[in-house]
Amino acid sequence: MSSSEDDNKTWRFLSNHTQVLLCLRRDPNARFRDIGQSVGITERAAQRIVADLIESGYVESERNGRRNHYTINTNIAPPNTATRSANS
């Protein structure tokens, strides 16, 4: 692989779900457009991820006028996929 090919690859340590969670932690009133731009995903992908986080209990959403306010549930443990796959 040449160095020019390496320059075009993007490597991320955190998943998109984690990055969206961090965006909501920084700005609980963030719009999907803002989340998408911050994470580098589409607005629709940001909507799906936020819906996943709400459904799994990591985030709660409250309507505030025309906007949503998100609260992170800090009492829930993150999934540990490494040990789950090792124990299967």
Side-chain angles (χ1 to χ4, degrees):
M1 190 183 293
S2 70
S3 63
S4 64
E5 290 177 19
D6 290 339
D7 294 340
N8 294 330
K9 295 201 179 233
T10 303
W11 187 87
R12 293 188 174 151
F13 185 72
L14 300 175
S15 71
N16 286 346
H17 280 68
T18 304
Q19 291 183 54
V20 167
L21 193 62
L22 292 172
C23 282
L24 294 176
R25 178 76 171 133
R26 280 191 303 269
D27 182 5
N29 299 309
R31 298 175 300 174
F32 294 128
R33 179 183 316 151
D34 301 330
I35 295 167
Q37 287 176 346
S38 177
V39 175
I41 58 176
T42 65
E43 185 174 340
R44 183 65 186 124
Q47 288 175 323
R48 282 192 303 268
I49 291 172
V50 170
D52 288 346
L53 293 170
I54 291 170
E55 184 178 325
S56 61
Y58 291 100
V59 174
E60 293 179 12
S61 175
E62 181 182 333
R63 194 77 173 159
N64 190 0
R66 292 177 46 189
R67 304 283 293 270
N68 287 326
H69 177 83
Y70 300 99
T71 305
I72 309 298
N73 182 355
T74 57
N75 297 324
I76 189 168
N80 191 340
T81 56
T83 57
R84 183 174 40 219
S85 63
N87 293 334
S88 305

